[in-house]
Amino acid sequence: MAGRIEDYALIGDMQTAALVCRDGTVDWLCLPRFDSHAIFAGLLGTEEHGFWRLGPAHAADAEPPTAARRTYRGDSLILESEWDTPRGTVRITDFMPPRDGAPQLIRIVEGVSGRVPMRSALRMRFSYGRVVPWVHKHEGRTVAVAGPDSVWFDTDCETYGKSLTTYSDFTVAPGDRIAFTISWQPSHKDAPPLPEPEQSLELTEDFWREWVEHCTYHGPYREAVVRSLITLKALTYAPTGGIVAAPTTSLPEDIGGVRNWDYRYTWLRDAAITLSSLLRTGYREEARAWREWLLRAVAGDPENLQIMYGIAGERELGEAELDWLPGYENSAPVRVGNGAAHQLQLDVYGEVTEALHLAHMTGLARNDYASLLQLKLIRYLEDHWDEPDEGIWEVRGPRRHFVHSKVMAWVAVDRTIKLIESGDADGPLERWRELRDDIHRDVCEKGYDKERNTFTQSYGSQELDASLLLIPQMGFLPPDDKRVIGTIEAIQRELSTPDGFILRYPTEGDSEGVDGLPGDEGAFLACSFWMADDLAMIGRVDEARKLFEKLLALRNDLGLLAEEWDPVNQRQVGNFPQAFSHVPLIDTALRLTASGAYGG
C-alpha cells in the first residue's frame, strides 16, 4: 500500500516530478513531462504498477524501514533522508537536475556510520503500470524499452533481475557514496549520455540557491513562503512557462470515493493567482513566461477560452478511466485527462484579467497583445456575463448563476476600465462603466440574502460558498461593509469544521449535492487561507494569525500541502502538492506581515 499523502516528498526538474515516500520508495513519476504516462504508478495501485525502493535491507516479510529524519538541503528541492539502523546510519540524497537533455532521477547513497546493508529494487512499468517493458543490458547499462519510451538505469553496483524487478544489494561504510540514476530517452534514439551524479548535484544546488536569492520577502514567515515558492517553481513547466495545478492525478478528495481528478494541467485560475504571488515576491521572469504562455494558449480565440490547457497550451484533454488501477486506498476511478476543460466558468475571465492588470501595474514590460486580449475578453463578457455557468468548483451538476462568477466578471470589467483610464488601451469607457454598475447591482440584488445578511452560493439559493470570501479581496465591496462582515461570519458558522478550517460548500454524503457528485470532502485549504485573509481585512488580526498558524501546522514535515484536510481522519487529501494551497499561503503571509499580525 502507498504511504499517506503527507508521507511523500516532492522532487522535480521543472518538466516533471517524482514523489518519494518516507521509506525511500518512489511511487510516482511520469516521463518525460508532468502529463506523460507514469513509469512508477504504485501510488495509485500496488507494487505491481511500478516503484523504486532504495533503503536499508530488510526481511522479505517485514515492512521497509522509514527514514528517521528527512529534510530538503537548504532552500532547494534536493531531498536528504537518513535511516538509523542497528548496524549504523545511512543517508540518501534524491534529486532531479534541471535539464536541457534527458530527464534524470539521481539517488546517492552515503554511509554515515557503521556498515549498513542496502538494497535497491527497481520495477519499471510503463503506461501507468499496464506495460511490462523489455529489460536488457546494452554496453554495460540496463535499459527498459516499451513502445516509444526507454529508461536507462546506471549504477556502479552489480545488478540482477528477479520477478521482473532489477535489484542491487550492497553495503555502505562511512564516506562511501554510491549513485543510482534513471534517464528517459525516446526508444528510437541512441543511449543518453552517462550520468555525472556528483556534478549534477552541485549544479542543482547552485540553481536553487541562485533562484531563491531573488525572493524579496524577508518577513517572519519566510521559511513557509520560500518553501511554497520553490514548490510553485517545481510545478512550472520550464519550456513553456505553464504551471500545473499538481503533479499527480486521482489522489482522492474523499478516501474511497469518486472525487478523483487529474490535476497535471494548467488551470488559468490557478496560474493567474500564482502569477500574482510570484510578482509580489520578486519573480518577474516567471510571471513574464506565464503571460507569454497565456497569450499563446488563448491565441486569437478568447470567445472559446478554456478553463485549463495542457502545459504547452494543448486544448484537448479528453478524460478516461484506467480500470486496471485500483486507486489510492481503493479510491476509484483513476482518471487521466480532465473533462472539465470545456466547461463554462465565467470567473476565469476575471482571474486572467486581474493577472494581466497586476502585471501591468507592477511594471512588467508592456505587451500590446495582452492589452488587446483583455479588451476581447470584455467584449465576450458583455454578451455572456448574465448566463449560468459551472462555477469555480467545476460542478458536474446543472449550471447556476454562481455569485462568485458574477463577481469575477465585475473584476474583469473593472480592471479593463482601469487599463483604459491609464491611457494604455482604448475602449468604450462609458459603456463599460455602465456594464460594471449593472453587474454590481445584479449581484447585490440577486445574490444577497437580506434576512441572513450574507451573500449566497448562487442566485436564489440558500447555500453558502467559500468563494464568497473573495468579495472584499477583489474590491467588489469594502471590508467594512456590513454585507461582507455578515458573509464572513455566516461562512464561519456554516462551513467551518470543528478545527476551524473551511469547507468549499455543503456536500450531501451519499446523495448528489450541488456539484453533481456523491460523497463528502475535506476542508479546502485555499478557502481556509482566504478566511484568514478576510479576518485580517476586517480587523480581527489576532484571529487571522491564529488560523494561519494552525494552517501552517497542517503542512507535512517538508512544508508541503495537498488540496484538502480531512478533519475526521486528521490527514491530507487530494492531489499533492497543490499549487492552489501554496499560493494563498504566500498571499496570507504577505498580508499578515504587512499588518504586523504575527507572533514572535
Side-chain angles (χ1 to χ4, degrees), residues 214-217 229 277-286:
H214 289 90
C215 179
T216 57
Y217 175 78
L229 286 167
S277 294
L278 291 170
L279 278 172
R280 291 192 290 155
T281 50
Y283 290 99
R284 297 166 63 85
E285 180 56 32
E286 283 74 13

Side-chain angles (χ1 to χ4, degrees), residues 538-554:
I538 64 174
R540 292 159 59 176
V541 289
D542 288 341
E543 192 177 347
R545 176 183 56 81
K546 290 176 182 177
L547 175 56
F548 180 66
E549 293 179 355
K550 283 179 66 176
L551 286 162
L552 291 185
L554 300 184

Side-chain angles (χ1 to χ4, degrees), residues 184-196:
W184 178 91
Q185 185 84 322
S187 59
H188 64 278
K189 290 191 174 182
D190 295 334
L194 283 167
E196 299 179 336

Side-chain angles (χ1 to χ4, degrees), residues 202-446:
E202 182 178 344
L203 291 173
T204 302
E205 189 169 12
D206 288 345
F207 170 86
W208 286 109
R209 182 178 62 252
E210 292 171 6
W211 188 81
V212 169
E213 285 176 354
H214 289 90
C215 179
T216 57
Y217 175 78
H218 298 284
Y221 301 113
R222 182 173 168 82
E223 176 274 326
V225 167
V226 168
R227 180 50 53 192
S228 292
L229 286 167
I230 290 171
T231 303
L232 296 177
K233 179 66 171 174
L235 299 180
T236 301
Y237 184 62
T240 67
I243 303 167
V244 296
T248 56
T249 181
S250 299
L251 289 181
E253 299 165 9
D254 179 21
I255 299 292
V258 300
R259 296 169 179 264
N260 318 314
W261 314 107
D262 193 346
Y263 276 18
R264 298 170 299 155
Y265 305 112
T266 298
W267 268 254
L268 294 190
R269 177 186 304 110
D270 297 26
I273 64 170
T274 300
L275 178 141
S276 168
S277 294
L278 291 170
L279 278 172
R280 291 192 290 155
T281 50
Y283 290 99
R284 297 166 63 85
E285 180 56 32
E286 283 74 13
R288 184 202 60 78
W290 177 83
R291 185 181 66 182
E292 299 305 312
W293 174 91
L294 171 71
L295 298 178
R296 291 193 304 270
V298 177
D301 195 23
E303 293 81 6
N304 294 311
L305 188 73
Q306 294 187 185
I307 65 164
M308 76 182 87
Y309 296 82
I311 51 180
E314 299 91 346
R315 287 175 171 263
E316 297 304 321
L317 310 177
E319 189 174 300
E321 297 181 1
L322 308 185
D323 57 9
W324 62 90
L325 287 173
Y328 178 86
E329 295 190 18
N330 294 312
S331 304
V334 171
R335 295 182 175 94
V336 295
N338 201 306
H342 296 288
Q343 285 189 353
L344 176 64
Q345 295 180 21
L346 293 170
D347 67 291
V348 170
Y349 291 82
E351 276 111 13
V352 169
T353 304
E354 170 74 349
L356 294 175
H357 172 72
L358 182 63
H360 177 76
M361 294 299 293
T362 53
L364 203 63
R366 177 173 172 170
N367 182 302
D368 289 337
Y369 181 62
S371 298
L372 180 60
L373 171 63
Q374 197 167 333
L375 296 174
K376 287 186 173 183
L377 295 178
I378 302 310
R379 291 191 177 98
Y380 176 83
L381 276 179
E382 276 192 286
D383 297 326
H384 298 279
W385 72 268
D386 56 352
E387 296 177 3
D389 71 340
E390 276 92 1
I392 181 175
W393 307 127
E394 298 166 13
V395 301
R396 301 207 173 193
R399 289 182 176 180
R400 291 170 170 81
H401 290 280
F402 287 103
V403 170
H404 173 261
S405 296
K406 309 298 188 192
V407 168
M408 294 310 296
W410 177 91
V411 168
V413 179
D414 177 72
R415 303 315 189 253
T416 305
I417 289 171
K418 287 180 168 59
L419 180 70
I420 297 169
E421 290 174 338
S422 73
D424 289 322
D426 293 316
L429 198 54
E430 289 307 316
R431 191 174 89 214
W432 286 350
R433 284 172 176 163
E434 290 181 12
L435 175 62
R436 179 176 61 181
D437 292 343
D438 288 344
I439 298 173
H440 199 280
R441 188 181 309 109
D442 196 68
V443 171
C444 293
E445 290 177 357
K446 299 177 182 176

Side-chain angles (χ1 to χ4, degrees), residues 20-32:
V20 187
C21 198
R22 289 180 184 273
D23 64 3
T25 303
V26 180
D27 276 324
W28 183 254
L29 175 62
C30 300
L31 291 172

